[in-house]
Every structure is written in C-alpha cells, then in structure tokens.
Amino acid sequence: MSDEGILSHILICKNVEKAKESLQEEYAKERHLFFIKDEFLIDDAKEVIKEAYIAESANKYLILIAKGYRVEAQNALLKILEEPPRHIVFIVVAPSKTAFLPTIRSRLLHKELLVEQEVIHSGLNLSKLDLSDIYPFIQKHQSVEKTFLKELVQAIVFEAINEHHLRFSEKELEHFQKLLHLVELNTRAQTILTSLLLSIMLRKYR
C-alpha cells in the first residue's frame, strides 16, 4: 500500500456530486486528480493506470467517481488497486457498494460519506401554470439524470396537492404514478415533464 499508512479505499456516497465537492475540499492541499464518469469503462481504467505509473515523490490521490463501473474496467484495475505504485492512493467513489465486484470490495477499505438530502422545489406556480412557464422549465431539465427526474416528478405532485391545494381525479393520480414508472424505464425527461405539467395546467379546464 501507499506510504505513511494512508490506504486506498472505496467511498460510498449516494450523491456522487456532493462526494466530489467534499473530496475537493479535503485534498485541496494535496496533489490529486479526479476521473469523473457516469459509467467507468475499460478506456477510463487504462487512463487511470497510466497516470498511476507516473513516478511521484509525494502522495498523489487518484479519485475515481462514477455511478457505475463496468466489469472489465474493474478487472483491469484490480491488481493496481490491491498493490498501488509508491505514493499513489486510490479513492474509488460510487453511490452503492453493489457497484463493485466482490473482488474489488474484498481488497479495499470501505468508508461512507453521509450527506444531507436536498429538498427539491420546482419553483413553479402550479395553480397558475401556463405554456410560458412549462417550456423553459422543460428546457432547463431535459438532460437531468433518472434519480433526480424521479424526485422532481414527486416534488411537483407534492407541491400541487399540498402547497397549491389542487385536486386531481383518481385517473389523474394514476397517470402521475405511471409517469414515475416510465422514469424507471428511462423515458426521456422531456416526455415525462411535458405530460406531467400539461396535465396539471389543463386540469383547470376540465
């Protein structure tokens, strides 16, 4: 392992963006490099390995952050994670330990970073919603990831019912539930939000 008792480790954090912020602050005075991907691929692993073999005179932290790691990428990293070159410390971040193969999990220490769950607010006046509100909102959120999209849909429905006191029929509530299911099936955010917000806007005409 690396010098001075500093060990490479897995860091579990449900919010990987927050994990990056925390690590950036923690290692601000140390030499560190981030490798940030949605999904870590074999080419990403090769880039990390190449960087790890650059000789260093002091500790260098290679911080890998991804929501998922491909099996072939993990297999490529296995040996170097187990026996890092001198002065190299790996920090491998994912939202869940199940992102890693048992062979990786068994060779590295595990740490967990707990972050406060952010409360999502749509910022929309749902009781007076019109097309001029809907279009820019959809444009702003058309590329959000699945987890955030699901939370956003839930937040909008919650706001509509509990903050704006809008009433929906059983059929409309079932439609909202169906949209959450479609989010799980990776339906585009634009499609989900258009359907949801138009349903809320048009309810006043029914």
Coordinates of all heavy atoms in Angstrom, one line a residue, residues 82-112:
E82 N -5.0 -3.2 -5.6 CA -4.5 -4.0 -4.5 C -3.1 -3.7 -4.1 O -2.7 -3.7 -3.0 CB -4.6 -5.5 -4.9 CG -4.3 -6.5 -3.8 CD -4.5 -7.9 -4.2 OE1 -4.6 -8.2 -5.4 OE2 -4.6 -8.8 -3.3
E83 N -2.3 -3.4 -5.1 CA -0.9 -3.0 -4.9 C -0.5 -1.7 -5.7 O 0.1 -1.8 -6.7 CB 0.0 -4.2 -5.4 CG -0.2 -5.5 -4.6 CD 0.7 -6.6 -5.1 OE1 1.5 -6.3 -6.0 OE2 0.5 -7.7 -4.6
P84 N -0.9 -0.6 -5.1 CA -0.7 0.7 -5.9 C 0.8 1.0 -5.9 O 1.6 0.6 -5.0 CB -1.4 1.7 -5.0 CG -2.3 1.0 -4.1 CD -1.7 -0.4 -3.9
P85 N 1.3 1.7 -7.0 CA 2.7 2.1 -7.0 C 3.0 3.0 -5.8 O 2.1 3.6 -5.2 CB 2.7 2.9 -8.4 CG 1.6 2.3 -9.2 CD 0.5 2.0 -8.2
R86 N 4.2 3.2 -5.6 CA 4.7 4.1 -4.5 C 4.1 5.5 -4.6 O 4.1 6.1 -5.6 CB 6.2 4.2 -4.5 CG 6.8 5.0 -3.4 CD 8.3 4.8 -3.4 NE 9.0 5.7 -2.5 CZ 9.2 5.4 -1.2 NH1 8.7 4.3 -0.7 NH2 9.8 6.3 -0.4
H87 N 3.6 5.9 -3.4 CA 3.0 7.3 -3.3 C 1.6 7.5 -4.0 O 1.1 8.6 -4.1 CB 3.9 8.4 -3.8 CG 5.2 8.5 -3.0 ND1 5.2 8.6 -1.6 CD2 6.5 8.4 -3.4 CE1 6.5 8.6 -1.2 NE2 7.3 8.5 -2.2
I88 N 1.0 6.4 -4.4 CA -0.3 6.5 -5.1 C -1.4 6.0 -4.1 O -1.3 4.9 -3.6 CB -0.3 5.7 -6.4 CG1 0.7 6.3 -7.4 CG2 -1.7 5.7 -7.0 CD1 0.4 7.7 -7.8
V89 N -2.4 6.8 -4.0 CA -3.5 6.5 -3.1 C -4.8 6.6 -4.0 O -5.1 7.6 -4.6 CB -3.7 7.4 -1.9 CG1 -4.9 7.0 -1.1 CG2 -2.4 7.3 -1.1
F90 N -5.6 5.5 -4.0 CA -6.8 5.5 -4.8 C -8.0 5.7 -3.9 O -8.1 5.1 -2.8 CB -7.0 4.1 -5.5 CG -6.1 3.9 -6.7 CD1 -5.0 3.1 -6.5 CD2 -6.3 4.5 -7.9 CE1 -4.1 2.9 -7.6 CE2 -5.5 4.3 -9.0 CZ -4.4 3.4 -8.8
I91 N -8.9 6.6 -4.3 CA -10.2 6.7 -3.7 C -11.3 6.5 -4.8 O -11.3 7.2 -5.8 CB -10.4 8.1 -3.1 CG1 -9.3 8.4 -2.1 CG2 -11.8 8.2 -2.4 CD1 -9.2 9.8 -1.5
V92 N -12.0 5.4 -4.6 CA -13.0 5.0 -5.6 C -14.4 5.2 -5.1 O -14.8 4.6 -4.1 CB -12.8 3.5 -5.9 CG1 -13.6 3.1 -7.2 CG2 -11.3 3.2 -6.2
V93 N -15.1 6.1 -5.8 CA -16.4 6.6 -5.2 C -17.5 6.0 -6.1 O -17.5 6.0 -7.3 CB -16.4 8.1 -5.3 CG1 -17.8 8.6 -4.7 CG2 -15.3 8.7 -4.5
A94 N -18.6 5.6 -5.4 CA -19.8 5.1 -6.1 C -21.0 5.3 -5.1 O -20.8 5.5 -3.9 CB -19.7 3.7 -6.4
P95 N -22.2 5.4 -5.6 CA -23.4 5.6 -4.7 C -23.7 4.4 -3.9 O -24.5 4.5 -2.9 CB -24.5 5.9 -5.7 CG -24.1 5.5 -7.0 CD -22.6 5.4 -7.0
S96 N -23.2 3.2 -4.3 CA -23.6 2.0 -3.5 C -22.4 1.0 -3.6 O -21.7 0.9 -4.7 CB -24.8 1.3 -4.1 OG -25.0 0.0 -3.5
K97 N -22.2 0.2 -2.6 CA -21.1 -0.8 -2.7 C -21.4 -1.9 -3.7 O -20.5 -2.6 -4.2 CB -20.8 -1.4 -1.3 CG -22.0 -2.2 -0.7 CD -21.6 -2.8 0.7 CE -22.7 -3.6 1.2 NZ -22.4 -4.1 2.6
T98 N -22.7 -2.1 -4.1 CA -23.0 -3.1 -5.1 C -22.5 -2.7 -6.5 O -22.6 -3.5 -7.4 CB -24.6 -3.3 -5.1 OG1 -25.2 -2.0 -5.4 CG2 -25.1 -3.8 -3.8
A99 N -22.0 -1.4 -6.6 CA -21.5 -1.0 -7.9 C -20.2 -1.8 -8.1 O -19.7 -1.8 -9.3 CB -21.2 0.5 -7.9
F100 N -19.6 -2.4 -7.1 CA -18.3 -3.0 -7.2 C -18.4 -4.5 -7.2 O -19.2 -5.1 -6.5 CB -17.3 -2.5 -6.1 CG -17.1 -1.1 -6.1 CD1 -17.7 -0.3 -5.1 CD2 -16.4 -0.4 -7.1 CE1 -17.5 1.1 -5.1 CE2 -16.2 0.9 -7.1 CZ -16.8 1.7 -6.1
L101 N -17.5 -5.2 -7.9 CA -17.3 -6.6 -7.8 C -16.9 -7.1 -6.4 O -16.1 -6.3 -5.8 CB -16.3 -7.1 -8.9 CG -16.7 -6.9 -10.3 CD1 -15.5 -7.2 -11.2 CD2 -17.9 -7.8 -10.7
P102 N -17.2 -8.3 -6.0 CA -16.7 -8.8 -4.7 C -15.2 -8.7 -4.6 O -14.7 -8.5 -3.5 CB -17.3 -10.2 -4.6 CG -18.5 -10.1 -5.5 CD -18.2 -9.2 -6.6
T103 N -14.5 -9.0 -5.7 CA -13.1 -9.0 -5.7 C -12.5 -7.6 -5.4 O -11.5 -7.5 -4.7 CB -12.5 -9.4 -7.1 OG1 -13.2 -8.7 -8.1 CG2 -12.7 -10.9 -7.3
I104 N -13.2 -6.5 -5.8 CA -12.8 -5.2 -5.5 C -13.1 -4.9 -4.1 O -12.3 -4.3 -3.3 CB -13.4 -4.2 -6.4 CG1 -13.0 -4.4 -7.9 CG2 -13.2 -2.7 -6.0 CD1 -11.6 -3.9 -8.2
R105 N -14.3 -5.2 -3.7 CA -14.8 -4.9 -2.3 C -13.9 -5.6 -1.2 O -13.7 -5.0 -0.2 CB -16.2 -5.3 -2.1 CG -17.2 -4.5 -3.0 CD -18.6 -4.6 -2.4 NE -19.1 -6.0 -2.2 CZ -19.9 -6.6 -3.1 NH1 -20.2 -6.0 -4.3 NH2 -20.3 -7.8 -2.9
S106 N -13.5 -6.8 -1.5 CA -12.7 -7.5 -0.5 C -11.3 -7.0 -0.4 O -10.6 -7.3 0.6 CB -12.7 -9.0 -0.9 OG -12.0 -9.2 -2.1
R107 N -10.8 -6.2 -1.3 CA -9.4 -5.8 -1.3 C -9.2 -4.3 -0.8 O -8.1 -3.9 -0.6 CB -8.8 -5.9 -2.7 CG -8.5 -7.4 -3.1 CD -8.2 -7.6 -4.5 NE -7.7 -8.9 -4.8 CZ -8.4 -10.0 -4.9 NH1 -9.7 -10.0 -4.6 NH2 -7.9 -11.2 -5.2
L108 N -10.3 -3.6 -0.6 CA -10.2 -2.2 -0.2 C -11.0 -1.9 1.0 O -12.0 -2.5 1.3 CB -10.7 -1.3 -1.4 CG -9.8 -1.2 -2.7 CD1 -10.5 -0.3 -3.7 CD2 -8.4 -0.8 -2.4
L109 N -10.5 -1.0 1.8 CA -11.3 -0.5 2.9 C -12.5 0.2 2.4 O -12.6 0.7 1.3 CB -10.4 0.5 3.7 CG -9.2 0.0 4.5 CD1 -8.4 1.2 5.0 CD2 -9.6 -0.9 5.6
H110 N -13.5 0.2 3.3 CA -14.8 0.9 2.9 C -15.0 2.1 3.8 O -14.9 1.9 5.0 CB -16.0 -0.1 3.0 CG -15.9 -1.2 2.1 ND1 -17.1 -1.9 1.7 CD2 -14.9 -1.8 1.4 CE1 -16.7 -2.9 0.8 NE2 -15.4 -2.8 0.7
K111 N -15.4 3.2 3.2 CA -15.8 4.4 4.0 C -17.1 4.8 3.5 O -17.5 4.5 2.3 CB -14.7 5.5 4.0 CG -13.4 5.1 4.6 CD -12.4 6.3 4.6 CE -11.1 5.9 5.2 NZ -10.2 7.0 5.2
E112 N -17.8 5.6 4.3 CA -19.1 6.1 3.8 C -19.2 7.6 4.1 O -18.8 8.1 5.2 CB -20.3 5.4 4.5 CG -21.6 5.8 3.9 CD -22.8 4.9 4.4 OE1 -22.5 4.0 5.2 OE2 -23.9 5.1 4.0

